[in-house]
Amino acid sequence: FQIPHEVQIGSSLVIQAEADGVRGPSVRVATNEVSPGIFTVDGKRGAVINHVGLLDAVERGNYAVGFASGLGAVIGDVRTGEVAPSELRPTVAPVEVFVNGALCPTLFAGLSPGFVGLYQFNFQVPMDLPSASTYALSIRQLGRMSTGVSVTIR
């Protein structure tokens, strides 16, 4: 779900899910400026597309795009529940990308055009990693590190 951007940072919200008219238990959650998380395709493997747009291994030295949530405010107006426009909406707070603990050049982090509440981060895969191996991928924003996911490098 998407927390409305109108919610004041540092406040707490009561959240309750409903499915087929049946409500689940209420849960109180605190809001933070950011809470970076990388989407996965199977609970472990990161939702990352390679330089040709395939959900496959990424190549050393090439560019890749990962998908995330919780990257906070963006530059430019996008209302809660609205589709992100084709004009890029970068995050206010910078995002750092790490593969195998190494900081990668980050070209863009912000809302993914054409989607609601989905962020993307575009990064360059380090050249000096051995190929045909799986590595940890994580992102950091305002000192908050995401949980690591796996990415295959060839």
Side-chain angles (χ1 to χ4, degrees), residues 1 13-19 22-29:
F1 69 93
L13 298 173
V14 176
I15 297 173
Q16 186 177 37
E18 182 178 334
V22 178
R23 291 184 180 192
S26 297
V27 178
R28 182 173 293 280
V29 296

Side-chain angles (χ1 to χ4, degrees), residues 80-100:
T80 300
E82 257 185 13
V83 171
S86 58
E87 299 84 27
L88 295 180
R89 297 290 190 253
T91 58
V92 171
V95 173
E96 297 171 302
V97 179
F98 297 88
V99 173
N100 199 36

Side-chain angles (χ1 to χ4, degrees), residues 124-145:
Q124 186 175 22
V125 179
M127 278 295 297
D128 58 353
L129 294 172
S131 60
S133 296
T134 300
Y135 294 100
L137 169 69
S138 57
I139 55 177
R140 181 172 64 195
Q141 189 182 32
L142 297 178
R144 292 180 177 264
M145 187 70 86

Side-chain angles (χ1 to χ4, degrees), residues 83-122:
V83 171
S86 58
E87 299 84 27
L88 295 180
R89 297 290 190 253
T91 58
V92 171
V95 173
E96 297 171 302
V97 179
F98 297 88
V99 173
N100 199 36
L103 182 62
C104 301
T106 305
L107 289 85
F108 171 76
L111 289 176
S112 191
F115 293 91
V116 176
L118 178 66
Y119 294 88
Q120 69 181 61
F121 55 95
N122 304 13

Side-chain angles (χ1 to χ4, degrees), residues 17-59:
E18 182 178 334
D20 297 326
V22 178
R23 291 184 180 192
S26 297
V27 178
R28 182 173 293 280
V29 296
T31 60
N32 295 307
E33 193 170 356
V34 298
S35 186
I38 303 172
F39 285 105
T40 64
V41 294
D42 60 6
K44 295 179 185 176
R45 191 167 44 116
V48 177
I49 56 175
N50 60 23
H51 69 287
V52 293
L54 299 175
L55 190 63
D56 195 5
V58 296
E59 296 181 12

